[in-house]
Amino acid sequence: MAGIALIVFGGTGDLTQRKLYPSLYHLAQRGRLPKGFSLYGVSRKTLTDKEFRRNIERDIRAFAHGKIDEKAVARVTGAAHYLSADLNHREGYERLEARLKPGTLRLFYLALPPRLFTPIVEHLDRCGMARALGAARSRVIVEKPFGYDYASGKKLERVLSAAFDEPQIFRIDHYLGKQAVQDLLAYRRGHPAFERSLDAGHVAAIRIDALEPGGLEMRGPYYDGAGSIRDMTQNHLLQLLAFMTMKLPRTSSAATIQSARAKVLKAVRPFRNRVDLLIGQYRGYHSEPGVDKDSRTDTYSSLVFEVNDARWKGVPILVRTGKRLTRKLTAVTIEYKPKQGKRHVFQLDPHPHVANEMGDYERLLLAAFDGERELFVSAAEVLNSWKAVDPFLKAAKRTKPILYRKGSLGPKGKTA
């Protein structure tokens, strides 16, 4: 093997600047970048290699943590190359193929809106850089959102599966890279009494919260086309729901864990088949860069689900997320019935931070380099999650969001 090449489509985007390049830098700090590592940024923007490297250094200095390690910066920038290309035309992919060393493991990272996934994947396939090389030499890393609803998610999965085999596809949900989220499973395995209490006989309700004091962070165009349900609930928060309610698999293999999550997500539906929904929008949202002046996009949403199986049927699961709220909190709360005790709270964020703890994108990148899929999402999980939220998305489209003040608890209203 001649090394590993990470090819980032969307190499000049916000996600790569804030998350990806700083994470590569932190891996370099830890001495965890693979031998023979190279980085290729691909975008329409015209840049030289030197300009691209200078931009990466700027992003590392702006968004990395702690004192800057100049050797680690040089390790990342020295491996970086840039390719300006029109992603809708084959010529750019042929130039990319010509620049990659023979025998290199190629990781194609799609850090772009879903509407661009199809031409990229199809051109990679036509140029022989997809399935023809197999998982040992070609993988694709797909950023969320995986479409915009069930229908578009299913279409995207057809495109991916036509070009790549499932072991080659790494769908990112960065919550799965968080140690605190992985600790949920470890806690369930290590506490048999708690595990036995997880059912409709003991639990009155479950609450999943992901509250943020911050706003859009320069993601206006993306967020305004997505909203809180697509941005948070369909992926991150339904994954937390799955971690808390799925049947514990006997082994920790990627296939068994993904299968267990997919099975419970298939049973998720609106509570008692009634679409209980509250959506809001913070005052001043229309002044954010990239936001449509007449936008009715939800920046806050509260939805009520249930898992329609023998273990959980009848237990309401309230899933709430929002921006510009009073504080930062990500938590799963188990509310017990009166005779069982009060509650059990898993606070995931703010989380007691260990100074040298690996970040979520660092952990995900390492797993993708090594071909380990435990921290990634299967096609069935994606599609089952879209099915669960589709009724709420349709209701939200017909509903005007309630305005709420920045720094408040959110809109006044009721969902259950």
Side-chain angles (χ1 to χ4, degrees):
M1 184 73 69
I4 292 180
L6 180 64
I7 300 108
V8 185
F9 293 99
T12 59
D14 181 71
L15 172 73
T16 54
Q17 293 171 348
R18 292 174 174 268
K19 298 291 186 180
L20 195 57
Y21 300 146
S23 295
L24 290 171
Y25 157 78
H26 285 302
L27 288 177
Q29 265 189 316
R30 301 173 190 275
R32 300 296 298 274
L33 278 185
K35 286 185 177 180
F37 173 77
S38 56
L39 170 65
Y40 291 82
V42 184
S43 178
R44 292 180 67 101
K45 189 177 291 186
T46 301
L47 290 174
T48 64
D49 282 359
K50 186 176 181 180
E51 289 170 330
F52 180 53
R53 291 166 182 160
R54 192 160 54 232
N55 289 349
I56 291 174
E57 181 174 350
R58 175 203 63 199
D59 299 334
I60 290 171
R61 295 186 186 280
F63 300 113
H65 306 296
K67 185 180 178 181
I68 293 297
D69 180 336
E70 300 296 343
K71 289 184 178 179
V73 173
R75 175 77 174 88
V76 177
T77 58
H81 313 271
Y82 186 78
L83 182 71
S84 177
D86 184 336
L87 299 178
N88 291 302
H89 291 88
R90 180 176 180 136
E91 183 267 341
Y93 299 87
E94 291 175 341
R95 286 192 289 117
L96 173 64
E97 169 70 4
R99 293 185 69 175
L100 296 173
K101 293 180 181 178
T104 300
L105 168 60
R106 295 101 181 267
L107 280 79
F108 301 106
Y109 197 120
L110 308 189
L112 290 162
R115 60 184 171 80
L116 293 171
F117 289 179
T118 296
I120 294 171
V121 170
E122 288 179 345
H123 279 297
L124 288 173
D125 193 26
R126 289 168 189 158
C127 291
M129 291 192 283
R131 179 180 282 126
L133 297 177
R137 288 192 47 212
S138 179
R139 298 169 192 157
V140 61
I141 305 173
V142 189
E143 270 288 347
K144 76 170 184 76
F146 309 104
Y148 295 101
D149 54 18
Y150 175 76
S152 60
K154 192 170 184 179
K155 184 178 179 181
L156 173 58
E157 287 299 339
R158 282 199 298 266
V159 170
L160 283 170
S161 62
F164 294 91
D165 292 320
E166 183 62 19
Q168 294 177 274
I169 304 172
F170 293 72
R171 300 170 193 83
I172 281 190
D173 182 325
H174 76 84
Y175 263 45
L176 300 190
K178 292 180 180 293
Q179 186 59 51
V181 174
Q182 294 298 320
D183 287 346
L184 286 176
L185 275 190
Y187 188 90
R188 287 182 60 185
R189 290 187 186 281
H191 294 80
F194 172 73
E195 180 63 20
R196 289 193 294 271
S197 76
L198 292 180
D199 59 36
H202 298 83
V203 176
I206 299 174
R207 178 186 291 273
I208 300 173
D209 290 307
L211 315 178
E212 302 177 54
L216 305 189
E217 296 180 335
M218 304 306 294
R219 297 193 307 154
Y222 156 72
Y223 193 91
D224 199 44
S228 63
I229 300 174
R230 288 185 176 91
D231 185 52
M232 290 293 295
T233 305
Q234 181 271 335
N235 38 78
H236 304 326
L237 303 190
L238 284 186
Q239 281 293 325
L240 291 182
L241 184 157
F243 266 90
M244 208 72 256
T245 60
M246 72 185 192
K247 182 180 179 180
L248 280 182
R250 292 183 178 181
T251 69
S252 297
S253 71
T256 57
I257 290 174
Q258 289 176 343
S259 177
R261 291 195 305 244
K263 185 175 181 180
V264 78
L265 287 169
K266 188 175 182 179
V268 173
R269 66 177 186 181
F271 182 59
R272 293 175 178 162
N273 285 322
R274 188 178 74 239
V275 177
D276 238 335
L277 171 71
L278 173 66
I279 59 172
Q281 184 185 93
Y282 62 78
R283 295 183 184 277
Y285 173 74
H286 294 137
S287 300
E288 298 276 13
V291 170
D292 188 273
K293 300 306 176 187
D294 299 315
S295 174
R296 291 173 55 161
T297 294
D298 50 285
T299 62
Y300 174 102
S301 57
S302 182
L303 295 69
V304 187
F305 296 99
E306 73 174 318
V307 177
N308 186 30
D309 65 13
R311 183 177 186 175
W312 290 107
K313 189 172 183 178
V315 177
I317 305 174
L318 181 65
V319 178
R320 182 175 60 148
T321 185
K323 293 187 175 294
R324 296 291 188 187
L325 300 175
T326 52
R327 61 174 177 146
K328 187 172 185 63
L329 175 69
T330 304
V332 178
T333 303
I334 310 295
E335 300 278 358
Y336 287 105
K337 292 180 176 179
K339 291 184 180 180
Q340 308 302 325
K342 291 187 177 181
R343 63 177 58 176
H344 197 122
V345 181
F346 294 90
Q347 183 167 310
L348 307 167
D349 201 2
H351 185 253
H353 183 69
V354 180
N356 64 351
E357 184 177 287
M358 190 171 287
D360 45 7
Y361 271 88
E362 293 171 59
R363 190 174 283 110
L364 291 167
L365 284 168
L366 274 183
F369 292 154
D370 293 336
E372 297 174 355
R373 303 179 71 245
E374 290 88 343
L375 303 183
F376 296 87
V377 183
S378 67
E381 291 174 81
V382 170
L383 296 180
N384 291 343
S385 296
W386 277 125
K387 274 189 177 178
V389 301
D390 259 9
F392 295 96
L393 290 173
K394 290 173 183 176
K397 196 172 182 179
R398 303 188 299 266
T399 306
K400 185 177 181 180
I402 300 169
L403 294 178
Y404 63 94
R405 180 177 51 82
K406 293 178 185 178
S408 70
L409 295 172
K412 294 180 179 179
K414 194 174 182 181
T415 56

